[in-house]
Each structure stands twice: as structure tokens, then as C-alpha cells.
Amino acid sequence: MERSPIRASLVDEFRTDSRRGLCIGEVSALEIAERFGTPAYVYDARILQRNLVKVRAALGPRVEVLFALKANPSAAVAQVLRRAGAGCEVASAGEIQVAARAGFRGSQIQFAGPGKTALDIASALEMGIDALNVESEGEYELVLAHAPRCQERPRIAIRVNPATSPFGPRLRMSGPSTRFGVDEADVPGLLRRIARDAVCDLRGLHAYAGTQCFDAGAWLQNADHLCDLANRLELELDLALPCLNFGGGLGVSLFAHDSVLDLGNLGAGLRELLERDARPDRRYAVELGRYLAASAGVYLTRVLYAKKSAGRQHLILDGGMHHHAAAAGLGSVIRRPFPIVLARAPHAEPTERYAAGGPLCTPADEFAADIALPTVHPGDLIAVLGSGAYGLTFSPALFLGHPLPCEVLVDDECATIVRERGIPMDALRGQHLPDERGARTLLEPREARDDETT
Ligand SMILES: Cc1ncc(COP(=O)(O)O)c(C=O)c1O
């Protein structure tokens, strides 16, 4: 049966041995499952560090690398990347909390997201972040409203929706009409207003074209366009745009027949571009999620049952799309299985074909409709590779009331639990029945019932 080269290259990120099977760091997946239970997300600190080193080496010293926390809002994962030299990009007040817990200072944080609330903006400004990337005039007005309460001038940039953006990323977040950023044609007007108001410290421009871009040329065209635009606007409007953020989106090959991003090429192209930009005073940044985190994470789930239905073999797992929606195809136009291996024998010849899915009462809860694996038995441990980005954070965790999985960080020989496993009572977290004493109503009844007065 055919083996997927993508699966092989993701397995190769990890040590495997014939006795212990798949190891994350120096700890076998079997031992992790034994100690911490399943389902579990497991992250390898060394791979996170390695990915960051690889990207920084390719992009060169002029480019700051921020970790896009949305890819994996584990404070422990973010802390590993911070200690290895990354900054942080956040998308909510909650992510600001996570960034702070991971040890990031305000000056290491940028914020992007099309629907920032007053609370998001207040949290960002109070944290004194490096750049709040404004995505609409309305957002800018909220910044102005909050500014008098800030100790320092708010540092803002404009997220631009470029007028032209080559079709590179698989999922685009820019284009002719979009919720993201300020249309390029409207950027000069907003810049003029920011300059006139003189309330904020204008940092520069930001552009994020979309995720899963495998085409280095297309990614570079977006970066090139942002540099050109910034230089043109500086001249036209007589103002300074000292920081440019080129966004993220570097593609990670997860599926059979995926292309492979040529990081060397992208890095060389970017260095050349910055050379041409000839602005030694300018700061450049990228904000990467998937490229830093995806390959470092494994989702471990046990086979509860194996059964046959109409000639097909089904593996029913203790984990599923409520923890790992991306592996069940959410967010993808075409459903394709993530790289999946049998943890005790990741290199064993596949001999059987299985459908593998979780415990939810929906056919959508399926990681693979037809996957080749060695013979699998109930109790076996399945490892979904490439799960370090957009895993738990992208999943409908409340569906059916199963507890959250635990998260484990492995650094070499040391495996530490970094998110507790949930419990069934979590299904009731924050809930009240209307007649319970703790329940609150928006409009209190005019007269309290007798039995409610104490
Ligand atoms: C504004 C912004 N920046 C960065 C990212 C990270 O993208 P990726 O994980 O593809 O690098 C995203 C992802 O949606 C995003 O929306």
C-alpha cells in the first residue's frame, strides 16, 4: 500500500525507535498517553525552537519573527518561542492575557483582527503594545476614545487590504472586497487623519494575504507591494512609516500531493527586497503561526472500538473533531486526512484500510474515510501529526459536552502537563437555571416572588 511522503517527512521530525515507537522529544507517545491519558495534545519544544531558528536564518536578521498566537494559544508553547527569540501577534484581549502569561512585554506584541472590541483595544493600549493594526476608521475612533486614559501615545499601524494581491495563499484574507484591513484606496485618507489628529504614534503598515501559501513568488509580491506602497505614501503624505509587517501564511505541507514551500527561496527573495528598499532605519516583521507550530504538535487519541460495517473497517476514537476540527476537514475546501500513524509502530508497513473517527454524533467527526495503516486494535494509540497549529483553538469544543483534552509540553526528557484535562462538569461551566439564586436577568421582575425574598 502506498505511503505518503508528507507523512514520512512529518514523522521524521520525531525520533522513532522499534521498541518505543513514536517519541516526542525523548519521551515515547505510549508513555505520555499512559501518564497523562488521552486524548492529549503534545508539543515538542525542540521542534518549536528548530522551526523558529530555520525561519530566522532564512529571512535574515532584519526581520523580526512574531508568533501568531491564534495558531496555538498555549502559554507554554508561546513561552518556548519567546525564549527562543520570537515576538507575539495577538487577536483578542484573551490572547493578550496569554501573551502576558507567556512573558511577552507590550513592546513585543502586535495586534491584528477585523473586529476589535472596545475591551480588546483598551487591553492592547493598556499593555502598551508595539502596534495595534487598525482595520477600519471605526476602530481608529475607538483608539482615539481610549487614548486619554493611556500613559503613552497609542502605537498604531494600518492593516492594508492591498489593491492587487496575487493568488498564492490557499485561504485568502485579502482581495477585492473583504472584512480584513483598510482598502488600499482608503489608506491615504486614514493616514492623513491620523497625522492631523496627532494623538497616536504611527508605526507603519501591515498586510496579511492569507494562510497556507506555498508559492514563495506570490508571498514576495505581497511584501514587495507593501514596501512600494509605504514608500509612495511617505512621499505623497510627507510622513514616516518606519515599521512594515508582511503578515504570515507560510505553507506547511500536511496532505498528500501538497506542494512544498521553498523557504530558502522566499528568504533570499525577502533579503533582496529589503536590500532594494534601502531603509536601514526601517523595522520589518512577519507573524507566523502554522510554520512555527504545526509540525511540533501531535494529537494522541486511543482507539475505543474497531468494528466492521458493510465491509468497511471503522476505528472509533476517544478524540475527534471537537478537539481537532481541522483534522476532520473544517476550514478546508476539500476534505483530506491529516498525516496519521500508529504510535507504537509509526514506520510499519500499512496492511489494512480504515475509516477513523471520533465519538460525536455527526458524520463530520471523521479524521479519515480511507486510510492505510498496519493492523490496529482497540486500545491502540493513534497519533495525528502536524497538529501543533489550529488544533484545539480551532475546534467546537463544547459540542456534546466531552471534556477538553490535556496539553503536554515535552522538552527533551521532560514532559509537563501545560493544560489540565477537562472534566464532565465543565459542560455546566457558567450555566444557571433561570430559577436558581445565582441567575441574573436583564430586566428584573417588578416584584420579587415571596419565596425569593429572604
Ligand atoms: C492577521 C493574521 N496574522 C497571522 C496569521 C497566521 O497565519 P499562518 O498561521 O498561516 O502563518 C493569521 C492567520 O489567520 C492572521 O489572520
Side-chain angles (χ1 to χ4, degrees), residues 365-379:
D365 185 15
E366 191 170 71
F367 287 162
D370 180 26
I371 185 182
L373 287 171
T375 306
V376 179
H377 304 287

Side-chain angles (χ1 to χ4, degrees), residues 68 70-71 89 112-113 135 159 173 180 206 208 210-213 247-250 287-291 389-390:
K70 57 177 69 61
E89 184 257 341
E135 308 208 16
R159 176 172 176 180
M173 286 188 225
F180 307 105
H206 169 290
Y208 172 75
T211 193
Q212 282 294 60
C213 179
L250 304 192
E287 50 192 38
L288 304 177
R290 202 183 305 268
Y291 207 86
Y390 305 106

Side-chain angles (χ1 to χ4, degrees), residues 42-102:
V42 190
Y43 310 115
D44 186 326
R46 300 294 163 107
I47 299 181
L48 291 165
Q49 290 156 353
R50 215 154 65 208
N51 288 345
L52 181 63
V53 167
K54 196 162 83 177
V55 168
R56 293 174 92 194
L59 305 188
R62 298 277 327 263
V63 182
E64 284 168 54
V65 179
L66 313 182
F67 174 48
L69 206 52
K70 57 177 69 61
N72 190 331
S74 154
V77 163
Q79 186 186 53
V80 169
L81 289 166
R82 176 184 65 75
R83 287 181 173 157
C88 186
E89 184 257 341
V90 298
S92 66
E95 285 193 358
I96 291 175
Q97 294 295 325
V98 175
R101 171 66 67 89

